[in-house]
Amino acid sequence: MRDSRTPGILANMDWFVLILYLLMLAFGWVSVCGASYDPDLQKDLWDLSTRSGMQLVWIGTSLLLATIIMNIDERVWTTFSVAIYLGFMLLLLITPFLARDIKGSLSWIKIGPFSLQPAEFAKFATALCLGRFISKRGFSMQKKWDAIICWALILLPMALIILQKETGSALVYASFFLMLYREGMSGSILVAGISAVMYFVVGIRFADTPLPYGGIGSVGGVAVMSLITLFTLGLLRSYTDLPGRTLRRMLGGMLLLGIVAFMTGKWVWSAVSMDIVLMAGVVGLALYLIYIAARERVLRYVFISLFALFSIGAHQSANYIIKNVMQAHQRTRIYVLLGMEDDPRGAGYNVIQAKIAIGSGGLAGKGFKNGTQTKLKYVPEQDTDFIFCTVGEEEGFLGSAAVLGLFLMLILRLMVLAERQTDTLARVFGYCVLSVFLFHLFINVGMVLGLTPVIGIPLPFFSYGGSSLWGFTILLFIFLRMDAMRNRMQF
């Protein structure tokens, strides 16, 4: 029941976010027009047989969808959140059997003349279910089973989407872990995730680079073992009561071990590999921590020792994963990104052409529909995954900065809205929305600039397509509805 004193939707709506949304839709349509316009074949921008014309249809239906969502009682979403989640998980499960193969992906279901991607809509279902579970009485991320269930709710859609051969769409769900950190997840989990990425990148990039000055071993192996040591000692300093002098002795011991291994391998016994010796040193450190845990009866030492051991396992398995688990095109993209291969006509072609397009835009750009890289179709997927290169070429540095500024304002505003929620479910959902937008922005712009792997995810409100635009609209406006009714009094 709503208190009669509670203002209506229009009075309580956050108009700043709505204006940002409309601006992005407008700028996104202009970008799609510039990327897809063909002066030899296209008569006007409103032709529904073209990308620019169809994008208008998607924008119009998105505005209609937003209006409908704002008029649906937010308690409908919260009440049926579990059912919505289970329904979308079932849909994700059967999608590979219903979908047609599009460039190796089995993630698109054809409905009449249109194709929809369920993975885009499962995001809001996952966010709702996470909010419902986290808002239950007595929840705590410090409780083992509460944490495990949260992770399972995130990992299940990721696994189902990977079965559709859509790794990029699956990785987006990892952004929900940022929300879990806000809700009390230990920072050590984030450290473990970030460190795993560092082990992978450094280990793969320098795996075949020999140590300088005649040392035995690889730069990658030594660097990763050094990182594992530093991260382990950092966790000990942050989460235990070990004296500083003990930690300094541990660090000094590892340094001494490395120096002795280097000198032995170079001048005494050439079979001694420095990275193998350092790995043995990390294992010894982990065993020592287990001894301390048994002596002091403090479980934290066990967890930190397991972190060190799992880090070694992650490093050792990286080479196997990239050579035996990843597909050939994924492996090539990573090698090109890390500078291990030069493939200007293959995996590196898109990024090279995108950089050329952005660089050619200069300060103010070439103007609407005047991009030469765009008109000559040098950049594949230039109106979807690589739409940002069109912004850079036609609008220049100023236009690109303006687009990034709009996203920055949206993300910061969503953070403010999430923090002012009086209901836990609404706050959790808000941070999920924020995390999804942030991940899409970072990865999409990063891959256009050659800073992240090309994994094929759209830029919110800019890339052509109905599924992504509808998915982002649903996420945003469910949260705006929750925010508008945050002061609702229930009995």
Side-chain angles (χ1 to χ4, degrees):
M1 177 179 179
R2 181 165 67 89
D3 191 340
S4 60
R5 296 170 297 176
T6 303
I9 294 296
L10 292 179
N12 255 353
M13 174 181 283
D14 192 87
W15 290 94
F16 184 68
V17 172
L18 179 61
I19 291 172
L20 289 176
Y21 171 75
L22 295 175
L23 286 174
M24 288 184 178
L25 289 183
F27 292 157
W29 181 74
V30 170
S31 299
V32 170
C33 290
S36 61
Y37 183 76
D38 189 335
D40 297 327
L41 301 175
Q42 189 172 340
K43 295 181 179 180
D44 57 62
L45 299 176
W46 325 105
D47 187 352
L48 294 183
S49 64
T50 64
R51 291 284 183 119
S52 58
M54 278 306 302
Q55 187 70 358
L56 277 179
V57 174
W58 300 130
I59 290 174
T61 52
S62 295
L63 293 174
L64 177 61
L65 185 60
T67 303
I68 294 173
I69 291 173
M70 292 302 294
N71 284 280
I72 296 177
D73 194 307
E74 72 282 358
R75 289 172 294 190
V76 171
W77 304 109
T78 59
T79 301
F80 296 101
S81 56
V82 176
I84 293 172
Y85 177 81
L86 293 176
F88 271 101
M89 294 307 102
L90 178 61
L91 181 58
L92 290 178
L93 179 63
I94 65 176
T95 293
F97 303 100
L98 303 176
R100 54 176 181 170
D101 192 317
I102 300 178
K103 298 180 180 180
S105 172
L106 297 172
S107 62
W108 293 87
I109 298 178
K110 189 171 180 60
I111 303 176
F114 306 111
S115 295
L116 295 178
Q117 189 176 25
E120 292 293 338
F121 303 101
K123 296 171 189 173
F124 88 89
T126 304
L128 281 174
C129 195
L130 281 168
R132 178 68 179 273
F133 180 72
I134 292 174
S135 63
K136 74 180 182 68
R137 188 183 300 274
F139 172 87
S140 173
M141 282 301 297
Q142 307 308 315
K143 296 180 180 178
K144 179 178 67 174
W145 284 109
D146 283 352
I148 290 175
I149 291 174
C150 282
W151 297 338
L153 291 174
I154 297 173
L155 294 175
L156 177 59
M158 291 181 68
L160 294 176
I161 295 171
I162 288 175
L163 292 177
Q164 302 171 12
K165 300 180 181 180
E166 270 290 338
T167 306
S169 297
L171 288 176
V172 174
Y173 287 76
S175 64
F176 290 134
F177 283 96
L178 295 176
M179 175 276 300
L180 293 183
Y181 178 68
R182 165 60 183 83
E183 295 302 320
M185 184 179 71
S186 172
S188 59
I189 304 296
L190 285 182
V191 170
I194 294 172
S195 61
V197 174
M198 294 180 66
Y199 303 152
F200 183 85
V201 171
V202 175
I204 293 297
R205 175 63 181 85
F206 299 103
D208 298 324
T209 303
L211 289 173
Y213 307 110
I216 306 301
S218 68
V219 171
V222 172
V224 170
M225 289 305 119
S226 300
L227 287 172
I228 294 174
T229 301
L230 292 175
F231 285 142
T232 302
L233 294 180
L235 290 174
L236 286 171
R237 181 178 181 182
S238 300
Y239 294 100
T240 69
D241 297 326
L242 275 181
R245 62 178 180 275
T246 302
L247 297 177
R248 288 192 292 271
R249 288 173 181 172
M250 290 179 176
L251 179 60
M254 290 297 294
L255 287 174
L256 180 61
L257 183 63
I259 293 172
V260 171
F262 180 85
M263 296 176 66
T264 302
K266 183 176 181 179
W267 289 305
V268 180
W269 187 21
S270 60
V272 176
S273 174
M274 186 175 174
D275 46 0
I276 297 298
V277 172
L278 287 179
M279 185 188 304
V282 173
V283 172
L285 176 60
L287 295 176
Y288 177 66
L289 294 178
I290 294 175
Y291 164 74
I292 295 178
R295 185 186 65 188
E296 304 291 340
R297 297 184 179 180
V298 178
L299 196 58
R300 291 181 180 178
Y301 292 106
V302 175
F303 291 140
I304 296 175
S305 67
L306 290 176
F307 166 81
L309 295 175
F310 281 128
S311 295
I312 294 175
H315 167 59
Q316 293 299 309
S317 63
N319 195 54
Y320 174 82
I321 290 173
I322 200 168
K323 290 184 177 180
N324 299 281
V325 177
M326 289 186 174
Q327 298 180 21
H329 70 279
Q330 295 172 327
R331 180 167 57 251
T332 303
R333 286 175 179 176
I334 291 177
Y335 285 159
V336 170
L337 176 69
L338 297 179
M340 300 170 64
E341 288 186 6
D342 186 16
D343 189 16
R345 295 183 179 274
Y349 178 81
N350 287 22
V351 175
I352 292 173
Q353 295 302 323
K355 288 180 179 180
I356 293 173
I358 293 175
S360 66
L363 179 64
K366 298 176 180 177
F368 181 50
K369 297 189 298 182
N370 291 326
T372 53
Q373 294 293 113
T374 299
K375 293 298 165 290
L376 297 176
K377 310 297 182 184
Y378 279 114
V379 184
E381 312 297 338
Q382 60 190 13
D383 54 3
T384 53
D385 298 340
F386 282 81
I387 190 70
F388 191 73
C389 72
T390 303
V391 176
E393 183 179 23
E394 295 192 348
E395 310 302 328
F397 173 80
L398 296 178
S400 300
V403 169
L404 295 178
L406 286 175
F407 277 106
L408 177 61
M409 288 189 286
L410 176 63
I411 290 169
L412 292 178
R413 185 59 183 170
L414 288 176
M415 186 179 298
V416 172
L417 298 189
E419 283 297 330
R420 76 181 185 184
Q421 299 306 306
T422 58
D423 180 69
T424 301
L425 189 151
R427 183 183 70 242
V428 170
F429 190 86
Y431 270 99
C432 286
V433 176
L434 183 158
S435 299
V436 168
F437 285 147
L438 184 62
F439 187 91
H440 271 270
L441 175 66
F442 178 78
I443 297 297
N444 183 276
V445 176
M447 71 183 189
V448 170
L449 298 177
L451 301 176
T452 59
V454 178
I455 59 176
I457 63 173
L459 183 63
F461 311 124
F462 277 76
S463 296
Y464 172 81
S467 292
S468 62
L469 185 54
W470 287 358
F472 293 131
T473 297
I474 292 172
L475 272 169
L476 183 61
F477 280 87
I478 289 179
F479 179 54
L480 287 182
R481 167 73 195 201
M482 291 178 176
D483 177 68
M485 303 308 294
R486 66 187 180 278
N487 294 321
R488 178 195 295 267
M489 296 181 64
Q490 299 178 343
F491 299 93

